[in-house]
């Protein structure tokens, strides 16, 4: 994205000179308008009141997912997904380490891009959020009863898992499309052999309707283009999935030039219902693969990672009716389907126009076999035959469109830094508002569903420059909130975000709040090393391994004095929080421990490892202020020389 | 015509049996840090959480000032149910076998027993709120220098440090009260029935 911005910077400057005068005066008016209006009132949430919406904003290169309230823009939580997080011991404690396992080993970082909320009957249902790891292809599922990542599945045959993770109408599937085409299966070949030899896999990951568990159902091996973004069909187009492509030139070097030669790239329309039929008929190939499936169990409070060894693959050339190409100008980024499911918007990021395809016209063209040749056996539909309309000259560098449910589309324009509102059907521009600066994606709560909640639009900006106090060369990333209830949009609020906010998903808070879990029930704790009452605490030696079964409650650990540990031991602290009160976690940390502290919720057990290096008496303590006696919540471990014969002993309240 | 008083007596004697279904009393503790208050329902034979884990959390909180843990069970949980069963059975027998004067006798005995129960409850509360662990983490004194007690009110609402404690009868107690009232009325109805017969 930054590359493109560099090339097109000059274009942008020119465009400002050409079209900018009117815009600049409008810009000023907007600022004055916002100050003069009640924008502050519209985003004010009084103390103790709750925000109306949750916004789940991707953390980009932070690998995480952050949760903001709308309209206040307040940050509630950063949910660790693909990156280790010391705040929550995510990827540090023994329970969550397996979540970051991949076929490449433990990968404690990723690049998270596109969150999407689970849907029922085409409407957001507030059960799960899915998000993609772009770098080491993965899809994660976050349970919204706990706001914690509970499953991560790796995607084989994929590289740069970018056109992900979007869900179908009833969350039948989450898709994972590869941005980079690669040899499938991987092999040692010359990069120049790209054309024809490299393939782009799009993956359909099934989701268990009751428990959410994911499974890689099948992959479709598409030609070696780059698959950028995707959206599911809905309504009449339910059963289809649409992916934008770039680099239909199949270039393998200097793509900024070589992948920008074709006047039109494609939107790949995939009939996944048809794919299911082909799978049933056995028309797939089973390919050897190696990918991790990591699941966190809420009862054992422990994740397990297993390696899967196979994947079912469909070849579209052998599966007629599975895939069609819709020509779309020019290097389209966003691929967005309106709430009715009839219109598929392709935003050519090197074009000034939005191209809107008609689903019903596409079907008619398919029925009449009006094709314009094929690519690797995949029929190409004639551009005009599926075209619904064009929003022409709406701005520069259209990226992504969302819908308000009232017949309007809202498109972000990266190069001209603005949000443009336009009308579905008449394709006329209604309003435009500047963003600060270089806007990427846009989010309207429910905007990727049949039922958008068209009250706010959240623009996620790539560049902030003068909007906040400077913090050195690296300035904060940013989002901007617009009121979209009127004919004209109104800028209400700027707020900083974590990492680069690529995309977001939003939902009314009322759809999530009733499902919120307050504590983990102690009687349901099935952790292998969990301890439910103080009679069962113990310290057990197994060679050089020592396991401490410890409990915590306001305001002490049991035990709080441990002796008989030796230098060279590997000490596992398995700590159970016996509290059953809302909002009473305890933390624990040991001097010199080489991992993050633990933060343990009521009823939960977590484990960390401590390897004492020096003789002495060493303290541990609670790291989360838990009560008036929090400072007293501490204990000691006596460490003796490796040759010592002091027996293990432990105690609480004995002098 | 005699049936009316007997029916009232019968219903009145049986209504206290609802104590085995509905709580007798409730104590609720409100504080800023508990937006959802902590509460305990007192049944004729059990202490119960108002919300899951409330009693555990009351105990945890109370240990700061040295109060004892609320016991799993108390002897009263055996005595009170027996009393109610016996009185109900006795009431049924009286309703069928005896004349109205006995109805008044039942009511008076029941009233004495109920007062004794309330006094017992008060004693328990007093002990619970005053017999504090001398090693308590926090010690508070009244303005006159005496050790502060943490006894919840017998009836009504009272501020205890940062808590506001509410203590009120619940549905089971209302059934008991209505039942007793009916037996009291049954005496007068029976009396009038007798006079009416004489006329």
């Amino acid at each position: 994205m930054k590359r493109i911005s560099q090339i097109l910077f000059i274009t942008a400057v020119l465009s400002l000179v050409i079209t900018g005068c009117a815009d600049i005066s409008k810009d000023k008016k907007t600022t004055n308008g916002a100050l003069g209006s009640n924008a502050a009132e519209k985003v004010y949430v009084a103390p103790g009141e709750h925000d109306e919406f949750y916004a789940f904003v991707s953390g980009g290169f932070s690998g995480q997912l952050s949760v903001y309230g709308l309209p206040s823009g307040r940050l509630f939580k950063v949910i660790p997904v693909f990156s280790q997080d010391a705040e929550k011991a995510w990827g540090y404690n023994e329970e969550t380490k397996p979540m970051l396992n991949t076929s490449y080993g433990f990968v404690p970082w990723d690049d998270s891009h596109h969150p999407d909320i689970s849907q029922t009957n085409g409407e957001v249902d507030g059960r799960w959020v899915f998000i993609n790891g772009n770098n080491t292809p993965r899809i994660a599922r976050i349970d919204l009863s706990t706001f914690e990542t509970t499953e991560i599945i790796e995607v084989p045959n994929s590289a740069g898992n970018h056109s992900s993770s979007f869900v179908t109408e009833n969350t039948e599937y989450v898709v994972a499309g590869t941005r980079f085409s690669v040899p499938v299966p991987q092999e040692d070949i010359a990069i120049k052999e790209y054309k024809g030899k490299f393939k782009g896999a799009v993956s359909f990951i099934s989701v268990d309707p009751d428990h959410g568990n994911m499974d890689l159902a099948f992959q479709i091996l598409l030609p070696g283009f780059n698959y950028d973004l995707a959206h599911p069909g809905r309504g009449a187009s339910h059963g289809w999935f649409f992916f934008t492509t770039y680099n239909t030139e199949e270039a393998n070097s200097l793509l900024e030039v070589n992948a920008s030669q074709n006047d039109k790239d494609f939107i790949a329309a995939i009939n996944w219902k048809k794919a299911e039929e082909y799978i049933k008929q056995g028309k797939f190939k089973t390919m050897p693969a190696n990918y991790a499936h990591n699941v966190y169990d809420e009862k054992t409070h422990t994740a397990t990672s297993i390696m899967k060894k196979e994947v079912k693959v469909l070849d579209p050339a052998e599966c007629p009716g599975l895939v069609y190409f819709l020509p779309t100008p020019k290097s389209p980024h966003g691929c967005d389907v309106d709430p009715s499911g009839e219109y598929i918007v392709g935003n050519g990021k090197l074009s000034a126009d939005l191209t809107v395809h008609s689903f019903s016209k596409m079907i008619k063209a398919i029925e009449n076999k009006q094709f314009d040749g094929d690519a690797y056996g995949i029929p190409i539909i004639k551009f005009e035959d599926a075209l619904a309309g064009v929003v022409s000259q709406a701005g520069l560098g259209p990226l992504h469109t969302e819908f308000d449910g009232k017949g309007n589309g809202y498109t972000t324009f990266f190069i001209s830094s603005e949000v443009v509102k336009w009308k579905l059907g008449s394709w006329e521009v209604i309003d435009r508002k500047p963003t600060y600066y270089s806007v990427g994606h846009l989010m309207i709560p429910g905007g990727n569903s049949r039922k958008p909640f068209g009250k706010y639009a959240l623009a996620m900006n790539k560049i902030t420059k003068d909007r906040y106090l400077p913090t050195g060369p690296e300035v904060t990333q940013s989002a901007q909130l617009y009121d979209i209830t009127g004919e004209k949009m109104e800028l209400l609020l700027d707020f900083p975000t974590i990492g680069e906010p690529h995309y977001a998903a939003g939902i009314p808070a009322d759809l999530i709040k009733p499902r919120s879990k307050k504590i983990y029930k102690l009687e349901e704790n099935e952790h292998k090393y969990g301890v439910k009452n103080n009679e069962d605490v113990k310290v057990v030696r197994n060679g050089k391994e020592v396991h401490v079964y410890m409990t915590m409650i306001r305001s002490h650990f049991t035990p709080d004095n441990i002796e008989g540990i030796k230098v060279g031991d590997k000490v596992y602290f398995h700590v159970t929080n016996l509290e059953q009160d809302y909002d009473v976690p305890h933390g624990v940390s040991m001097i010199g421990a080489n991992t993050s502290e633990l933060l343990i919720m009521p009823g939960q057990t977590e484990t960390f490892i401590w390897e004492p290096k020096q003789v002495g008496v060493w303290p541990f303590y609670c790291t989360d202020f838990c009560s008036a006696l929090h400072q007293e919540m501490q204990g000691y471990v006596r460490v003796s020389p490796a040759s010592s014969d002091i027996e293990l002993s432990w105690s609480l309240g004995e002098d | 015509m005699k049936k009316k008083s007997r029916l009232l007596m019968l219903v009145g004697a049986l209504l206290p049996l609802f104590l085995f279904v509905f709580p007798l009393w409730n104590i609720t503790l409100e504080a800023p840090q508990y937006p959802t208050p902590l509460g305990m329902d007192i049944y004729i034979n059990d202490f119960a959480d108002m919300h899951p884990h409330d009693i555990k959390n009351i105990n945890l909180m109370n240990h700061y000032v040295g109060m004892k843990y609320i016991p799993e069970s108390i002897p009263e949980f055996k005595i009170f149910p027996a009393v109610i069963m016996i009185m109900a059975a006795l009431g049924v027998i009286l309703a069928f076998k005896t004349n109205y004067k006995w109805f008044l006798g039942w009511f008076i005995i029941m009233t004495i027993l109920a007062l004794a129960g309330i006094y017992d409850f008060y004693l328990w509360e007093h002990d619970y709120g005053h017999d504090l662990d001398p090693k308590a983490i926090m010690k508070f004194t009244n303005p006159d220098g005496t050790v502060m007690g943490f006894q919840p009110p017998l009836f009504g609402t009272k501020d205890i440090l940062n808590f506001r404690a509410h203590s009120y009868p619940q549905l089971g107690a209302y059934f008991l009260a209505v039942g007793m009232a009916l037996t009291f009325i049954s005496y007068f109805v029976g009396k009038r029935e007798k006079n009416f017969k004489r006329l």
Side-chain angles (χ1 to χ4, degrees), chain A residues 128-130 139-143 148-151 211-214:
Chain A
W128 308 300
V129 175
F130 300 90
I139 299 280
R141 179 170 58 89
I142 290 132
D143 190 325
E148 282 188 11
T149 306
T150 49
E151 191 175 7
H211 303 100
N213 288 89
M214 300 188 288

Side-chain angles (χ1 to χ4, degrees), chain A residues 595-610:
Chain A
T595 55
S596 152
E597 58 86 32
L598 301 181
L599 186 63
I600 307 165
M601 297 304 127
Q604 195 177 29
T605 305
E606 288 187 27
T607 303
F608 75 97
I609 296 175
W610 179 54

Side-chain angles (χ1 to χ4, degrees), chain B residues 90-159:
Chain B
L90 188 64
V92 172
I93 293 164
L94 296 182
F96 286 113
K97 299 283 177 196
T98 63
N99 78 17
Y100 71 94
K101 285 175 188 164
W102 288 92
F103 298 175
L104 186 65
W106 188 94
F107 171 77
I108 291 165
I109 293 168
M110 195 63 182
T111 305
I112 292 166
L113 288 170
L115 288 173
I118 290 169
Y119 183 62
D120 180 78
F121 179 46
Y122 173 82
L123 286 181
W124 178 78
E125 269 192 335
H126 187 272
D127 176 63
Y128 182 70
H130 286 88
D131 182 16
L132 305 174
D133 183 348
K135 282 182 79 182
I137 298 156
M138 294 183 189
K139 290 190 173 73
F140 295 94
T141 49
N142 296 312
D144 65 1
T146 55
V147 173
M148 188 184 281
F150 303 96
Q151 182 179 357
L154 184 64
F155 177 91
T157 294
K158 182 177 157 190
D159 288 331

Side-chain angles (χ1 to χ4, degrees), chain A residues 518-519 521-523 553-556 578-582 626-629, chain B residues 33-36 38 52-54 56-57 60-61 63-64 69 135 137-138:
Chain A
K518 292 185 163 181
I519 57 165
K521 285 186 188 155
L522 203 54
E523 66 263 29
I553 200 161
R554 275 161 290 174
S555 316
H556 61 268
L578 295 182
E579 305 276 358
Q580 294 285 270
D581 198 358
Y582 187 29
C626 54
S627 79
L629 282 307
Chain B
Q33 69 268 41
Y34 289 98
T36 307
L38 295 173
H53 314 296
D54 271 5
K56 174 175 175 156
N57 290 319
L60 260 176
M61 185 187 75
H63 93 278
Y64 288 117
Y69 276 19
K135 282 182 79 182
I137 298 156
M138 294 183 189

